[in-house]
Amino acid sequence: MIKQVLNFVKMSQKSYVAGSAYPPLETGVLRIYSMRFCPFAQRTRLVLQHKNIPHENVNVHLVKKPEWFLERNPFGLVPTLEIDDKVIYESNICSQYLDDVYPGDKLTPSDPYQKARDQMLIDTFGKAVGQFYKIARNGEDFEEFKKSLGRYEEELSKRGKYFGGNNKPCMVDFALWPWFERLELLEEKGFKLTEAEFPNLSAWVKTMYQLPAVKATMFDKESHMRFLTSYREGNPDYDFGL
Ligand SMILES: N[C@@H](CCC(=O)N[C@@H](CS)C(=O)NCC(=O)O)C(=O)O
């Protein structure tokens, strides 16, 4: 345990690039390959933080990807998890693996129907994510996006403070959160989540900001904007602020 914590401290946050040497992974140590501004990786990092799972973080440059990263995940996407001879990728699958394997707060209901309902909310959020990026690019489709968010607004009104109920967050909260943290970026395109239209989601956003896992993984609006601008200019600054 102490060894793992020391390892975590020792790892640099700077992204590894093509041509770099593979950072050796010790037996039994869980590693996440990530990119600091990636919302998909943040999903899994939120679960790691919330469940207090010892791990080390290796950031990779997503334009100049290290060869050893592509050997582990041929799709070259973050998040990717590695432990011993196991490699897992796709954010929702990584998060579910962590919830299944590690002790601590269970984020997935044991009742099959409730579990299916939660998975439906997570999977179909992909549509809202697509609409989010469309607005970020050209500022259209507010109505479609609002319609998508409306489903979550209504669901929260039945569930309570969190999607996990009144007492604690669940996997749905963590799978959706990264795009709500970035919602302010759409204000430059004229989109704003208002309390009048989305009272439950607005309250949920405030509640989520109080969670230690969110505090540990979040960036402020300005940092997100700086990264987005560098991305739009074709030269993403993965190491911004380091
Ligand atoms: N469906 C994947 C999407 C992950 C994803 O698109 N990650 C981006 C960074 S935000 C990435 O790795 N991009 C590298 C690339 O597209 O080559 C997941 O849920 O994990």
Side-chain angles (χ1 to χ4, degrees):
M1 173 72 170
I2 287 172
K3 204 161 110 192
Q4 287 176 4
V5 171
L6 284 176
N7 232 11
F8 177 74
V9 172
K10 192 173 74 189
M11 303 300 294
S12 163
Q13 287 294 298
K14 291 228 166 133
S15 44
Y16 283 77
V17 289
S20 60
Y22 172 70
L25 179 59
E26 286 180 35
T27 309
V29 172
L30 171 69
R31 172 180 287 176
I32 179 169
Y33 295 101
S34 182
M35 186 278 274
R36 293 159 63 240
F37 295 96
C38 172
F40 298 95
Q42 192 184 2
R43 281 177 159 169
T44 302
R45 289 169 53 227
L46 284 163
V47 173
L48 284 165
Q49 291 291 336
H50 183 75
K51 289 179 75 91
N52 272 317
I53 301 173
H55 67 282
E56 59 181 36
N57 194 104
V58 168
N59 290 318
V60 288
H61 196 291
L62 295 175
V63 177
K64 301 174 203 149
K65 292 174 189 165
E67 298 71 14
W68 43 261
F69 174 58
L70 288 167
E71 276 164 26
R72 283 159 180 80
N73 179 354
F75 297 96
L77 298 176
V78 294
T80 295
L81 297 173
E82 182 176 18
I83 179 165
D84 300 328
D85 58 351
K86 302 185 188 82
V87 172
I88 301 141
Y89 44 82
E90 282 301 314
S91 56
N92 291 326
I93 296 172
C94 291
S95 296
Q96 192 57 56
Y97 175 81
L98 295 175
D99 198 35
D100 290 342
V101 169
Y102 291 88
D105 209 2
K106 274 284 160 219
L107 298 173
T108 318
S110 50
D111 175 76
Y113 180 59
Q114 287 312 322
K115 189 173 170 184
R117 302 247 350 141
D118 280 12
Q119 280 170 342
M120 281 152 55
L121 286 172
I122 294 172
D123 279 14
T124 57
F125 189 69
K127 195 171 169 192
V129 169
Q131 290 159 344
F132 175 98
Y133 290 116
K134 209 167 159 199
I135 295 175
R137 271 195 309 274
N138 44 34
E140 290 159 18
D141 260 349
F142 289 2
E143 287 318 309
E144 286 302 305
F145 187 48
K146 281 186 184 174
K147 216 158 104 188
S148 296
L149 295 183
R151 244 186 91 222
Y152 296 89
E153 172 68 22
E154 198 190 324
E155 190 69 26
L156 259 185
S157 73
K158 294 181 213 146
R159 290 185 176 224
K161 232 166 103 179
Y162 299 103
F163 287 95
N166 267 326
N167 300 325
K168 64 184 195 77
C170 70
M171 195 64 91
V172 182
D173 295 273
F174 292 130
L176 270 48
W177 172 254
W179 288 272
F180 284 88
E181 184 182 307
R182 289 157 181 77
L183 220 45
E184 283 178 335
L185 297 178
L186 301 186
E187 285 176 14
E188 60 159 9
K189 301 288 182 186
F191 180 85
K192 196 168 163 42
L193 188 86
T194 63
E195 278 186 40
E197 264 182 303
F198 298 100
N200 295 303
L201 279 173
S202 301
W204 173 76
V205 167
K206 287 192 188 130
T207 305
M208 287 295 286
Y209 269 121
Q210 303 309 314
L211 287 180
V214 168
K215 289 185 182 167
T217 60
M218 65 169 280
F219 280 106
D220 61 12
K221 180 184 175 186
E222 200 198 316
S223 303
H224 278 306
M225 192 47 99
R226 289 281 290 272
F227 175 73
L228 182 65
T229 305
S230 71
Y231 181 82
R232 281 175 177 157
E233 287 167 353
N235 192 17
D237 189 358
Y238 299 119
D239 293 342
F240 165 74
L242 293 180

